[in-house]
Amino acid sequence: MLAGGKPLFAATALTGGDLAIGFAVLSNGFGDGRFTSELTLTNHGTMPLPPKGWAICFNAQVLPKADPASGFTLAHVNGDMARLTPNEAFQPLGPGETRRLALTAESPVIASCDAPEGFFLVLDPGGTAAWAEPIGEPAIQPFTRPEQLSRGPKDTVPNQTPALTFAQNAGLSLLPEATVGRITPAPAEAVFHPGTLQIGHKTRLRHPPALAGEAQLLQAALDKLTTGPATAGTIELALDPGLVLPEGIAEQGYVLEIAAAGIRLTGRTPAGVFHGIQSLLQLVPLAAWATKLPSLALPYCRIADAPLFAWRGQHFDIARNFSDKRLVLRVIDQLAFYKMNALHLHVTDDEGWRLELPSLPELTSYGSQRGFSPGEREALQPALGSGPLGGTAPGSGALSQRDFVEILTYAKARHIRVIPEIDLPGHARAAIKAMAVRCQRLLAAGKPVEEAEACLLHDPEDQSHYESIQGWHDNVICIGRDSAYRFLELVVGDLVQTYRQAGLTLDMLHIGGDEVPEGVWENSPACRRFMAERGLSTIQELQAHFFTRLGQILAAQGVAMAGWEQAALVKSGGKEHIVPPDQRPGFTGFVWRNLAESEQKDMAEQLANAGYKTILCNADALYLDMAYEKAPDEIGTYWASFVNLRKVFDFQPFGRGTLTAAGRANLLGVQGALWGETLRSPDRVEYLLMPRLIAVAERGWTPAPSSDAREAAWNGFANRIGQRELPRLDTLGVRYRVPVPGLALIEGAVQASLDTPGLVLRYTTDGRDPDAASSAYAEPVALAKGQMLKAAAFTTTGRRGRIAVLTA
Ligand code: TNX
């Protein structure tokens, strides 16, 4: 039974609601060098917590340990799940009592986002009638002391303080509105002339048949921005294969001319025209986005523009936590508006399979569901704080085939290609479990074993021991079974069909290939037999066989293989080596590991120089699941870096100078990545994406400024974001991250700043939190010794960002 449905007889009157959990970090490696924290368990019920018959489960990115002498046994279940059970030393916990439990861990916790989450009570845990009830989220003690806020004595990254933010913003100033760039990403050439052209939504729009789709989208946009009548001039969309454009990817460029006679927008291709339409819409007065205007005054201008890179992508993990169709379409809108053209949808992982495929219904009927169910009979175990209850997002959910076709069609109209990622052979637990359920169903229906096991993804006799980075010990497909390849054929076949339904061709599949743990396959009889039959002598050869065969399955359907860089690497002698590109024909590498001081610090350059088509997904600059700042209230992770807006803006696509000319030609482009571990709500998705996504778009379209022009370029970009893009996003209800003010006390007066000048900053000096009625900051505020100033940024819709505090 899936959690929630209580059995008729209750083993005890204890309920999840009777319990409350608290969590506090004590020290991250200071003093004795240990990482220590504390859980508190409070019994708010009317009866004592008994010495046995229950357990408490939760998820944690940093898995803790407890001393059994504490009265609790704390065990790692699998993945990010831990289970706390009372042991012989447990003393019953009476009503109203609180018990403290000391924890240790192997790594630090410096933000609320890392705290254990998704607590639930399991009653009769070993029994067949086990059931679970949510307890909920812990009350997290604030992180205030240095040993809570830092990752240890060697952590050199300063904590974000108002003073640090102020220093970081030193080069920024509010630019006069007229000098703020109107088009983002910044165009190659833009010349404005005095005067404006008035257009309305009935202004005549002319276009050749090949641009019907683009014209329709432009018309729909104009309908939303103006009520106005037809005007004298016309808007003309045109194709011209010989169009002369500035340096860049000409096939995606455009020329937009606005003059008294009307608008002429020309591209070499429909994609180019579509990009020009986005520029045109950005020239519409900002006020029209909030309320329709009678007519739109567009500045006379000539914009000639082409992107730096052909590929400007965004990866979106909807597997760890499920994001639904509505949200995916919203993200596509943003990609389109900033002229990005690839959406890499990560639809499968250990914690869920999120895309319905007709040939293998269990992938979603089972594999998209998380919840408490003894033996995981009916759902995958709770993960990432999803709790025991099944059936609801973000733990459970999937895109139906229809949803996916709608996404593909919507993206196609906006010149965005969707690259699905089926993560293989690691990160595949949801598929493995789902295929085991399928096998059971077929056996129960009386099918012969061979048929039932036709798509089985694990070796039931496997004795190998491994643990993935995310703590799973059963998340890698057994690639020594023919059934694994049968499974892949069905998946690829279904994907090909789905794309066809959308009038598209699946031309690239991202097969993951990342993070296959050491030790896998080593003690699998199936792998041993499979290797002997094929003369494969090492695990590396087995893995190479897998990628080659997968490549063949894809090639047979006309699909090119793409993957994380690990799929183009082979380990030998404890090192990774690049597989010669002729062994991975047509492979495109998505490179994420670029961490300084590691052997992979220039992996993208190495791969591109070796002859692979390469897409830059640098973890320390383009991973948008990283927290913006080192601050305990920021959501997101930080294993690669903290990534603020400037960090993305400053990204240097051409690396540290090791690219050869051929390597440079192999760099297809840049891509942001949004991994899903912390995406527990649509708000979080938009918070992490926006506004950093716009900086990814800028780096993909506009050549990075030279070092002497960088400060001015950053100020220009920051003003475009603060004065134009964020107010526009407000009109669309996009819940972007509102910046936190920088504050500094200079000669007795407080100065305040934002990383995106233009938003309203309000403050108080009476200790109250700033609100819409608080004074707007315009000039330094004198502060007496001991007096406190609180400041926060407000969006145009009155949404408040985090509060910064300074005491004189
Ligand atoms: C690494 S980058 C992963 C993902 C995680 C991500 C979190 C890569 C190919 N694998 O599985 O979600 O880090 O930032």
Side-chain angles (χ1 to χ4, degrees), residues 78-80 317 319-321 346-354 366-370 376 379-384 395 423-434 466-477 514-515 517 675 677:
N78 203 352
D80 69 345
D317 171 6
R320 264 54 176 275
N321 281 297
H346 183 83
V347 288
T348 74
D349 215 300
D350 299 320
E351 298 84 356
W353 181 291
R354 310 300 186 177
Y366 175 89
S368 75
Q369 299 296 309
R370 289 206 300 257
E376 294 185 278
L380 296 167
Q381 71 178 45
L384 305 161
D423 208 341
L424 304 161
H427 285 285
R429 186 172 191 269
I432 294 168
K433 288 276 161 190
Y466 60 86
E467 186 167 290
S468 76
I469 304 212
Q470 283 94 356
W472 299 104
H473 49 72
D474 53 358
N475 74 334
V476 184
I477 289 175
D514 56 318
E515 298 179 334
W675 292 99
E677 288 90 335

Short mmCIF file of all heavy atoms in Angstrom, two decimals, residues 78-80 317 319-321 346-354 366-370 376 379-384 395 423-434 466-477 514-515 517 675 677:
data_model
loop_
_atom_site.label_atom_id
_atom_site.label_comp_id
_atom_site.label_asym_id
_atom_site.label_seq_id
_atom_site.Cartn_x
_atom_site.Cartn_y
_atom_site.Cartn_z
N ASN A 78 19.56 3.98 1.20
CA ASN A 78 19.98 3.98 -0.19
C ASN A 78 19.82 5.41 -0.68
O ASN A 78 18.96 6.14 -0.17
CB ASN A 78 19.08 3.04 -1.00
CG ASN A 78 19.73 2.53 -2.29
OD1 ASN A 78 20.81 2.98 -2.67
ND2 ASN A 78 19.09 1.59 -2.95
N GLY A 79 20.63 5.80 -1.64
CA GLY A 79 20.49 7.15 -2.16
C GLY A 79 20.68 8.17 -1.06
O GLY A 79 21.65 8.10 -0.31
N ASP A 80 19.73 9.08 -0.94
CA ASP A 80 19.86 10.12 0.08
C ASP A 80 18.98 9.83 1.30
O ASP A 80 18.70 10.72 2.08
CB ASP A 80 19.53 11.50 -0.51
CG ASP A 80 18.05 11.66 -0.86
OD1 ASP A 80 17.33 10.64 -0.93
OD2 ASP A 80 17.61 12.80 -1.07
N ASP A 317 16.70 19.73 -15.50
CA ASP A 317 16.50 18.41 -14.89
C ASP A 317 15.08 18.37 -14.30
O ASP A 317 14.82 18.99 -13.27
CB ASP A 317 17.57 18.23 -13.80
CG ASP A 317 17.37 17.00 -12.93
OD1 ASP A 317 16.46 16.20 -13.21
OD2 ASP A 317 18.15 16.84 -11.96
N ALA A 319 13.82 15.42 -13.62
CA ALA A 319 13.76 14.04 -13.11
C ALA A 319 13.86 13.98 -11.59
O ALA A 319 13.05 13.31 -10.94
CB ALA A 319 14.88 13.22 -13.74
N ARG A 320 14.83 14.66 -11.01
CA ARG A 320 15.02 14.57 -9.55
C ARG A 320 13.77 15.07 -8.84
O ARG A 320 13.22 14.42 -7.96
CB ARG A 320 16.21 15.42 -9.14
CG ARG A 320 17.51 14.69 -9.00
CD ARG A 320 17.90 13.90 -10.25
NE ARG A 320 19.20 13.29 -10.11
CZ ARG A 320 20.35 13.92 -10.38
NH1 ARG A 320 20.36 15.14 -10.85
NH2 ARG A 320 21.49 13.28 -10.22
N ASN A 321 13.36 16.26 -9.20
CA ASN A 321 12.06 16.76 -8.80
C ASN A 321 11.32 17.02 -10.10
O ASN A 321 11.92 17.52 -11.07
CB ASN A 321 12.19 18.05 -7.99
CG ASN A 321 12.57 17.76 -6.54
OD1 ASN A 321 11.81 17.12 -5.81
ND2 ASN A 321 13.74 18.22 -6.13
N HIS A 346 16.50 16.85 -19.16
CA HIS A 346 17.01 15.67 -18.44
C HIS A 346 15.78 14.97 -17.83
O HIS A 346 15.28 15.38 -16.79
CB HIS A 346 17.96 16.17 -17.36
CG HIS A 346 18.63 15.10 -16.56
ND1 HIS A 346 19.75 14.44 -16.98
CD2 HIS A 346 18.35 14.59 -15.34
CE1 HIS A 346 20.13 13.57 -16.06
NE2 HIS A 346 19.29 13.64 -15.05
N VAL A 347 15.28 13.95 -18.53
CA VAL A 347 13.99 13.37 -18.14
C VAL A 347 14.08 12.09 -17.33
O VAL A 347 13.05 11.54 -16.92
CB VAL A 347 13.06 13.14 -19.37
CG1 VAL A 347 12.55 14.45 -19.92
CG2 VAL A 347 13.75 12.34 -20.46
N THR A 348 15.30 11.58 -17.15
CA THR A 348 15.41 10.34 -16.37
C THR A 348 16.56 10.45 -15.39
O THR A 348 17.57 11.08 -15.68
CB THR A 348 15.69 9.12 -17.28
OG1 THR A 348 17.06 9.16 -17.72
CG2 THR A 348 14.78 9.09 -18.48
N ASP A 349 16.40 9.84 -14.26
CA ASP A 349 17.52 9.74 -13.31
C ASP A 349 17.18 8.67 -12.27
O ASP A 349 16.17 7.96 -12.41
CB ASP A 349 17.82 11.10 -12.66
CG ASP A 349 19.33 11.27 -12.42
OD1 ASP A 349 19.90 10.44 -11.69
OD2 ASP A 349 19.92 12.20 -13.00
N ASP A 350 18.02 8.58 -11.26
CA ASP A 350 17.77 7.58 -10.22
C ASP A 350 16.42 7.80 -9.55
O ASP A 350 15.72 6.85 -9.21
CB ASP A 350 18.87 7.66 -9.14
CG ASP A 350 20.24 7.38 -9.75
OD1 ASP A 350 20.32 6.48 -10.60
OD2 ASP A 350 21.20 8.06 -9.36
N GLU A 351 16.07 9.06 -9.36
CA GLU A 351 14.91 9.38 -8.54
C GLU A 351 13.61 9.49 -9.33
O GLU A 351 12.56 9.79 -8.75
CB GLU A 351 15.16 10.70 -7.79
CG GLU A 351 16.34 10.66 -6.83
CD GLU A 351 17.69 10.92 -7.50
OE1 GLU A 351 17.70 11.06 -8.74
OE2 GLU A 351 18.71 10.97 -6.80
N GLY A 352 13.65 9.24 -10.62
CA GLY A 352 12.40 9.28 -11.37
C GLY A 352 12.60 9.23 -12.87
O GLY A 352 13.62 9.70 -13.38
N TRP A 353 11.63 8.63 -13.56
CA TRP A 353 11.60 8.61 -15.03
C TRP A 353 10.37 9.43 -15.41
O TRP A 353 9.25 9.09 -15.02
CB TRP A 353 11.50 7.17 -15.54
CG TRP A 353 11.49 7.07 -17.04
CD1 TRP A 353 10.49 7.46 -17.88
CD2 TRP A 353 12.54 6.54 -17.87
NE1 TRP A 353 10.85 7.21 -19.18
CE2 TRP A 353 12.09 6.65 -19.21
CE3 TRP A 353 13.79 5.98 -17.63
CZ2 TRP A 353 12.87 6.23 -20.30
CZ3 TRP A 353 14.56 5.56 -18.71
CH2 TRP A 353 14.10 5.69 -20.04
N ARG A 354 10.56 10.52 -16.15
CA ARG A 354 9.49 11.52 -16.30
C ARG A 354 8.91 11.64 -17.69
O ARG A 354 8.26 12.63 -17.98
CB ARG A 354 10.02 12.89 -15.87
CG ARG A 354 10.72 12.92 -14.55
CD ARG A 354 9.82 12.49 -13.40
NE ARG A 354 10.48 12.66 -12.11
CZ ARG A 354 9.90 12.41 -10.95
NH1 ARG A 354 8.65 11.97 -10.90
NH2 ARG A 354 10.56 12.58 -9.83
N TYR A 366 5.16 3.26 -12.84
CA TYR A 366 5.89 3.00 -11.60
C TYR A 366 7.04 4.00 -11.41
O TYR A 366 7.16 4.64 -10.37
CB TYR A 366 6.45 1.56 -11.61
CG TYR A 366 7.32 1.27 -10.41
CD1 TYR A 366 6.77 0.78 -9.23
CD2 TYR A 366 8.69 1.53 -10.43
CE1 TYR A 366 7.56 0.55 -8.11
CE2 TYR A 366 9.48 1.30 -9.31
CZ TYR A 366 8.91 0.81 -8.16
OH TYR A 366 9.68 0.59 -7.05
N GLY A 367 7.85 4.15 -12.45
CA GLY A 367 9.12 4.87 -12.32
C GLY A 367 9.01 6.37 -12.14
O GLY A 367 10.02 7.02 -11.87
N SER A 368 7.81 6.93 -12.28
CA SER A 368 7.68 8.36 -12.02
C SER A 368 7.07 8.62 -10.65
O SER A 368 6.77 9.75 -10.32
CB SER A 368 6.79 9.02 -13.09
OG SER A 368 5.43 8.69 -12.86
N GLN A 369 6.87 7.54 -9.90
CA GLN A 369 6.18 7.69 -8.62
C GLN A 369 7.13 7.48 -7.45
O GLN A 369 7.88 6.51 -7.42
CB GLN A 369 5.04 6.65 -8.53
CG GLN A 369 3.99 6.81 -9.62
CD GLN A 369 3.25 8.14 -9.51
OE1 GLN A 369 2.74 8.50 -8.45
NE2 GLN A 369 3.23 8.88 -10.61
N ARG A 370 7.07 8.38 -6.49
CA ARG A 370 7.82 8.18 -5.25
C ARG A 370 6.85 8.23 -4.09
O ARG A 370 5.88 8.99 -4.11
CB ARG A 370 8.87 9.28 -5.05
CG ARG A 370 10.03 9.20 -6.00
CD ARG A 370 11.29 9.84 -5.42
NE ARG A 370 11.21 11.24 -5.08
CZ ARG A 370 11.72 12.24 -5.81
NH1 ARG A 370 12.33 11.97 -6.95
NH2 ARG A 370 11.64 13.47 -5.41
N GLU A 376 9.39 -1.07 -1.74
CA GLU A 376 9.23 -0.24 -2.96
C GLU A 376 8.33 -0.95 -3.97
O GLU A 376 8.53 -0.84 -5.17
CB GLU A 376 10.58 0.09 -3.60
CG GLU A 376 11.48 0.99 -2.75
CD GLU A 376 12.75 1.38 -3.47
OE1 GLU A 376 13.69 0.57 -3.45
OE2 GLU A 376 12.80 2.47 -4.06
N ALA A 379 6.05 2.12 -5.44
CA ALA A 379 6.67 3.39 -5.81
C ALA A 379 8.13 3.37 -5.39
O ALA A 379 8.52 2.60 -4.52
CB ALA A 379 5.95 4.55 -5.12
N LEU A 380 8.91 4.22 -6.03
CA LEU A 380 10.31 4.39 -5.62
C LEU A 380 10.33 5.03 -4.25
O LEU A 380 9.42 5.77 -3.88
CB LEU A 380 11.02 5.30 -6.62
CG LEU A 380 11.15 4.78 -8.04
CD1 LEU A 380 11.60 5.91 -8.98
CD2 LEU A 380 12.15 3.63 -8.10
N GLN A 381 11.41 4.79 -3.52
CA GLN A 381 11.49 5.35 -2.17
C GLN A 381 11.50 6.88 -2.23
O GLN A 381 11.94 7.47 -3.21
CB GLN A 381 12.76 4.84 -1.48
CG GLN A 381 14.04 5.42 -2.05
CD GLN A 381 15.28 4.92 -1.31
OE1 GLN A 381 15.42 3.73 -1.02
NE2 GLN A 381 16.17 5.84 -0.99
N PRO A 382 11.01 7.52 -1.16
CA PRO A 382 11.06 8.99 -1.12
C PRO A 382 12.50 9.46 -1.28
O PRO A 382 13.44 8.80 -0.83
CB PRO A 382 10.53 9.33 0.27
CG PRO A 382 9.68 8.15 0.65
CD PRO A 382 10.36 6.96 0.04
N ALA A 383 12.66 10.58 -1.93
CA ALA A 383 14.00 11.13 -2.13
C ALA A 383 13.90 12.64 -2.16
O ALA A 383 12.83 13.20 -2.47
CB ALA A 383 14.60 10.62 -3.44
N LEU A 384 14.99 13.31 -1.82
CA LEU A 384 15.08 14.76 -1.94
C LEU A 384 13.96 15.47 -1.17
O LEU A 384 13.46 16.50 -1.59
CB LEU A 384 15.06 15.16 -3.42
CG LEU A 384 16.14 14.48 -4.25
CD1 LEU A 384 15.82 14.52 -5.73
CD2 LEU A 384 17.50 15.12 -3.97
N GLY A 395 7.73 15.05 -6.09
CA GLY A 395 8.31 13.70 -6.04
C GLY A 395 7.79 12.82 -7.16
O GLY A 395 8.51 12.03 -7.75
N ASP A 423 19.59 9.17 -19.13
CA ASP A 423 20.90 9.00 -18.50
C ASP A 423 21.23 7.52 -18.34
O ASP A 423 20.51 6.77 -17.67
CB ASP A 423 20.91 9.74 -17.15
CG ASP A 423 22.31 10.22 -16.76
OD1 ASP A 423 23.29 9.69 -17.32
OD2 ASP A 423 22.40 11.09 -15.89
N LEU A 424 22.35 7.11 -18.97
CA LEU A 424 22.77 5.71 -19.04
C LEU A 424 24.29 5.60 -18.86
O LEU A 424 24.97 6.55 -19.22
CB LEU A 424 22.45 5.13 -20.43
CG LEU A 424 21.01 5.21 -20.90
CD1 LEU A 424 20.96 5.03 -22.41
CD2 LEU A 424 20.18 4.14 -20.22
N PRO A 425 24.85 4.52 -18.45
CA PRO A 425 24.16 3.40 -17.80
C PRO A 425 23.96 3.64 -16.30
O PRO A 425 23.24 2.92 -15.66
CB PRO A 425 25.14 2.23 -18.03
CG PRO A 425 26.49 2.90 -18.08
CD PRO A 425 26.28 4.28 -18.65
N GLY A 426 24.64 4.70 -15.76
CA GLY A 426 24.41 5.08 -14.36
C GLY A 426 23.20 5.99 -14.28
O GLY A 426 22.52 6.23 -15.29
N HIS A 427 22.93 6.51 -13.10
CA HIS A 427 21.78 7.41 -12.91
C HIS A 427 20.50 6.80 -13.48
O HIS A 427 19.67 7.50 -14.05
CB HIS A 427 22.04 8.76 -13.58
CG HIS A 427 23.01 9.63 -12.83
ND1 HIS A 427 22.65 10.29 -11.68
CD2 HIS A 427 24.31 9.92 -13.04
CE1 HIS A 427 23.71 10.97 -11.21
NE2 HIS A 427 24.72 10.75 -12.02
N ALA A 428 20.36 5.49 -13.37
CA ALA A 428 19.26 4.81 -14.07
C ALA A 428 18.38 3.99 -13.13
O ALA A 428 17.68 3.08 -13.58
CB ALA A 428 19.84 3.92 -15.17
N ARG A 429 18.39 4.32 -11.84
CA ARG A 429 17.68 3.46 -10.91
C ARG A 429 16.17 3.40 -11.18
O ARG A 429 15.57 2.32 -11.07
CB ARG A 429 17.92 3.92 -9.47
CG ARG A 429 17.33 2.97 -8.45
CD ARG A 429 17.74 3.36 -7.04
NE ARG A 429 17.39 2.32 -6.09
CZ ARG A 429 16.25 2.28 -5.43
NH1 ARG A 429 15.34 3.21 -5.62
NH2 ARG A 429 16.01 1.29 -4.58
N ALA A 430 15.59 4.51 -11.55
CA ALA A 430 14.14 4.49 -11.78
C ALA A 430 13.80 3.50 -12.90
O ALA A 430 12.83 2.73 -12.79
CB ALA A 430 13.64 5.89 -12.13
N ALA A 431 14.61 3.49 -13.94
CA ALA A 431 14.36 2.57 -15.05
C ALA A 431 14.59 1.12 -14.61
O ALA A 431 13.80 0.23 -14.95
CB ALA A 431 15.27 2.91 -16.23
N ILE A 432 15.65 0.91 -13.85
CA ILE A 432 15.97 -0.45 -13.41
C ILE A 432 14.82 -1.03 -12.58
O ILE A 432 14.36 -2.15 -12.80
CB ILE A 432 17.28 -0.45 -12.59
CG1 ILE A 432 18.46 -0.06 -13.49
CG2 ILE A 432 17.53 -1.81 -11.93
CD1 ILE A 432 19.75 0.26 -12.74
N LYS A 433 14.35 -0.21 -11.64
CA LYS A 433 13.26 -0.67 -10.76
C LYS A 433 11.97 -0.87 -11.58
O LYS A 433 11.21 -1.81 -11.34
CB LYS A 433 13.02 0.36 -9.66
CG LYS A 433 14.13 0.38 -8.63
CD LYS A 433 13.87 -0.70 -7.61
CE LYS A 433 15.10 -1.05 -6.83
NZ LYS A 433 14.90 -2.25 -6.02
N ALA A 434 11.72 0.04 -12.51
CA ALA A 434 10.49 -0.06 -13.31
C ALA A 434 10.51 -1.32 -14.16
O ALA A 434 9.48 -1.99 -14.34
CB ALA A 434 10.33 1.19 -14.17
N TYR A 466 28.97 -1.17 -4.98
CA TYR A 466 29.38 0.17 -5.39
C TYR A 466 28.45 1.17 -4.76
O TYR A 466 27.38 0.82 -4.25
CB TYR A 466 29.36 0.30 -6.92
CG TYR A 466 28.00 0.06 -7.56
CD1 TYR A 466 27.08 1.11 -7.69
CD2 TYR A 466 27.63 -1.20 -8.04
CE1 TYR A 466 25.84 0.90 -8.28
CE2 TYR A 466 26.39 -1.42 -8.63
CZ TYR A 466 25.49 -0.37 -8.75
OH TYR A 466 24.27 -0.57 -9.32
N GLU A 467 28.90 2.41 -4.76
CA GLU A 467 28.02 3.48 -4.28
C GLU A 467 28.22 4.68 -5.19
O GLU A 467 29.34 5.14 -5.40
CB GLU A 467 28.34 3.85 -2.84
CG GLU A 467 27.33 4.84 -2.28
CD GLU A 467 27.40 5.00 -0.77
OE1 GLU A 467 27.02 4.05 -0.06
OE2 GLU A 467 27.84 6.07 -0.33
N SER A 468 27.13 5.17 -5.74
CA SER A 468 27.23 6.32 -6.64
C SER A 468 27.46 7.57 -5.79
O SER A 468 27.29 7.55 -4.57
CB SER A 468 25.95 6.47 -7.46
OG SER A 468 24.91 7.01 -6.66
N ILE A 469 27.82 8.65 -6.47
CA ILE A 469 28.09 9.90 -5.74
C ILE A 469 26.88 10.30 -4.91
O ILE A 469 27.00 10.87 -3.83
CB ILE A 469 28.43 11.01 -6.74
CG1 ILE A 469 29.61 10.56 -7.58
CG2 ILE A 469 28.68 12.35 -6.03
CD1 ILE A 469 30.56 11.59 -8.06
N GLN A 470 25.69 9.99 -5.41
CA GLN A 470 24.49 10.35 -4.67
C GLN A 470 24.02 9.24 -3.73
O GLN A 470 22.89 9.26 -3.26
CB GLN A 470 23.37 10.74 -5.64
CG GLN A 470 23.54 12.14 -6.22
CD GLN A 470 24.27 12.15 -7.55
OE1 GLN A 470 24.73 11.12 -8.03
NE2 GLN A 470 24.40 13.32 -8.16
N GLY A 471 24.91 8.27 -3.47
CA GLY A 471 24.63 7.30 -2.42
C GLY A 471 23.83 6.06 -2.84
O GLY A 471 23.45 5.26 -2.00
N TRP A 472 23.60 5.88 -4.13
CA TRP A 472 22.85 4.70 -4.56
C TRP A 472 23.77 3.51 -4.73
O TRP A 472 24.91 3.67 -5.20
CB TRP A 472 22.13 4.96 -5.90
CG TRP A 472 21.14 6.07 -5.82
CD1 TRP A 472 21.30 7.34 -6.30
CD2 TRP A 472 19.83 6.03 -5.23
NE1 TRP A 472 20.17 8.09 -6.04
CE2 TRP A 472 19.27 7.31 -5.38
CE3 TRP A 472 19.10 5.03 -4.57
CZ2 TRP A 472 17.99 7.63 -4.91
CZ3 TRP A 472 17.83 5.36 -4.11
CH2 TRP A 472 17.28 6.63 -4.28
N HIS A 473 23.26 2.31 -4.40
CA HIS A 473 24.08 1.13 -4.64
C HIS A 473 23.43 0.17 -5.63
O HIS A 473 23.82 -1.00 -5.75
CB HIS A 473 24.45 0.43 -3.33
CG HIS A 473 23.30 0.19 -2.41
ND1 HIS A 473 22.35 -0.74 -2.66
CD2 HIS A 473 22.96 0.80 -1.25
CE1 HIS A 473 21.46 -0.71 -1.69
NE2 HIS A 473 21.79 0.21 -0.83
N ASP A 474 22.42 0.67 -6.33
CA ASP A 474 21.78 -0.19 -7.33
C ASP A 474 21.22 0.66 -8.48
O ASP A 474 20.09 0.49 -8.88
CB ASP A 474 20.65 -1.00 -6.67
CG ASP A 474 19.66 -0.13 -5.91
OD1 ASP A 474 19.89 1.12 -5.85
OD2 ASP A 474 18.67 -0.65 -5.37
N ASN A 475 22.05 1.58 -8.97
CA ASN A 475 21.51 2.53 -9.95
C ASN A 475 22.18 2.44 -11.32
O ASN A 475 22.02 3.33 -12.13
CB ASN A 475 21.65 3.96 -9.42
CG ASN A 475 23.08 4.46 -9.45
OD1 ASN A 475 24.01 3.65 -9.40
ND2 ASN A 475 23.26 5.76 -9.55
N VAL A 476 22.96 1.35 -11.56
CA VAL A 476 23.63 1.24 -12.85
C VAL A 476 23.07 0.03 -13.60
O VAL A 476 22.98 -1.08 -13.05
CB VAL A 476 25.16 1.07 -12.66
CG1 VAL A 476 25.85 1.06 -14.02
CG2 VAL A 476 25.71 2.19 -11.80
N ILE A 477 22.71 0.26 -14.84
CA ILE A 477 22.16 -0.81 -15.67
C ILE A 477 23.20 -1.91 -15.88
O ILE A 477 24.39 -1.62 -16.07
CB ILE A 477 21.72 -0.23 -17.03
CG1 ILE A 477 20.48 0.65 -16.83
CG2 ILE A 477 21.48 -1.31 -18.07
CD1 ILE A 477 20.01 1.37 -18.07
N ASP A 514 27.43 9.86 -17.43
CA ASP A 514 28.21 10.42 -16.32
C ASP A 514 28.17 9.54 -15.08
O ASP A 514 27.26 8.75 -14.88
CB ASP A 514 27.65 11.82 -15.97
CG ASP A 514 26.16 11.78 -15.63
OD1 ASP A 514 25.41 11.08 -16.33
OD2 ASP A 514 25.76 12.44 -14.65
N GLU A 515 29.19 9.71 -14.28
CA GLU A 515 29.23 9.23 -12.90
C GLU A 515 28.87 7.76 -12.71
O GLU A 515 28.02 7.42 -11.89
CB GLU A 515 28.33 10.11 -12.02
CG GLU A 515 28.81 11.54 -11.99
CD GLU A 515 27.94 12.48 -11.16
OE1 GLU A 515 26.74 12.22 -10.98
OE2 GLU A 515 28.48 13.49 -10.71
N PRO A 517 29.82 4.59 -10.99
CA PRO A 517 30.71 4.37 -9.84
C PRO A 517 31.69 3.22 -10.04
O PRO A 517 31.44 2.28 -10.80
CB PRO A 517 29.74 4.07 -8.69
CG PRO A 517 28.46 3.68 -9.33
CD PRO A 517 28.42 4.30 -10.69
N TRP A 675 20.29 21.47 -12.57
CA TRP A 675 20.03 20.16 -11.98
C TRP A 675 18.92 20.28 -10.96
O TRP A 675 18.68 21.37 -10.40
CB TRP A 675 21.31 19.60 -11.36
CG TRP A 675 22.32 19.26 -12.41
CD1 TRP A 675 23.38 20.01 -12.81
CD2 TRP A 675 22.31 18.09 -13.24
NE1 TRP A 675 24.04 19.37 -13.84
CE2 TRP A 675 23.41 18.19 -14.11
CE3 TRP A 675 21.48 16.97 -13.33
CZ2 TRP A 675 23.71 17.22 -15.07
CZ3 TRP A 675 21.77 16.00 -14.27
CH2 TRP A 675 22.88 16.13 -15.13
N GLU A 677 18.03 18.64 -7.90
CA GLU A 677 17.95 18.19 -6.51
C GLU A 677 17.19 19.16 -5.60
O GLU A 677 16.51 18.75 -4.67
CB GLU A 677 19.35 17.95 -5.93
CG GLU A 677 20.05 16.73 -6.46
CD GLU A 677 20.89 17.01 -7.70
OE1 GLU A 677 20.59 17.98 -8.43
OE2 GLU A 677 21.84 16.25 -7.95
#
